[in-house]
């Protein structure tokens, strides 16, 4: 018997993490658009903190799956305002500069 080994490798880059990025509203918006154009296997949520500060949460990999499962059980507003409470995981905190470097590598 002859068996063919088919490797259908689909390298879909993603952060594979739960990441929290702090920055100004304009910088977060620009980074989010850049991220959307380069990757598609993630969800990002921007949370308004105060006058000119935002927090961007990025979910991918197993954290994305868990986030989507939680959307069935928890009101989205509650999940959006405090995702680390429901995911029971502390996000990896990155500066905007570190996230941009990571975006170029991935």
């Amino acid at each position: 018997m002859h068996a063919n080994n088919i490797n259908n490798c689909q390298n879909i880059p993603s952060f594979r993490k739960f990441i929290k990025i702090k920055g100004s509203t304009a910088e977060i918006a620009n980074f989010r658009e850049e991220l959307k154009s380069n990757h598609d296997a993630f969800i990002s949520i921007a949370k308004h903190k105060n006058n000119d500060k935002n927090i961007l949460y990025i979910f991918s990999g197993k954290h994305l799956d868990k986030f989507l499962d939680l959307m069935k059980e928890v009101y989205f507003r509650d999940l959006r305002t405090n995702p680390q409470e429901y995911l029971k995981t502390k996000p990896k905190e990155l500066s905007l500069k570190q996230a941009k470097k990571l975006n170029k590598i991935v």
Side-chain angles (χ1 to χ4, degrees):
M1 180 191 310
H2 180 68
N4 288 334
N5 187 5
I6 299 173
N7 289 331
N8 191 3
C9 183
Q10 296 178 352
N11 291 330
I12 300 173
S14 69
F15 289 103
R16 303 236 186 269
K17 297 199 184 286
F18 174 34
I19 297 176
K20 178 180 178 179
I21 302 169
K22 294 181 183 178
S24 72
T25 305
E27 290 174 334
I28 291 291
N30 291 337
F31 177 70
R32 195 173 183 190
E33 288 301 318
E34 180 183 320
L35 198 61
K36 284 180 185 177
S37 65
N38 292 339
H39 311 290
D40 59 348
F42 72 95
I43 290 179
S44 64
I45 296 175
K47 180 179 160 186
H48 187 69
K49 190 172 179 183
N50 57 22
N51 292 340
D52 191 37
K53 297 292 181 186
N54 275 2
I55 297 174
L56 179 68
Y57 291 104
I58 300 173
F59 306 91
S60 63
K62 66 179 181 180
H63 298 288
L64 174 60
D65 295 337
K66 190 170 183 180
F67 183 82
L68 293 175
D69 290 339
L70 282 170
M71 285 178 64
K72 298 173 189 173
E73 303 168 7
V74 180
Y75 288 116
F76 183 70
R77 181 183 56 98
D78 295 336
L79 189 59
R80 181 175 186 244
T81 54
N82 199 1
Q84 60 252 20
E85 178 183 328
Y86 293 102
L87 288 173
K88 295 181 177 49
T89 308
K90 194 170 186 179
K92 181 177 182 181
E93 293 190 25
L94 294 178
S95 68
L96 199 55
K97 185 182 273 189
Q98 292 171 329
K100 286 183 180 182
K101 286 180 185 177
L102 185 62
N103 185 27
K104 289 178 184 175
I105 293 171
V106 176

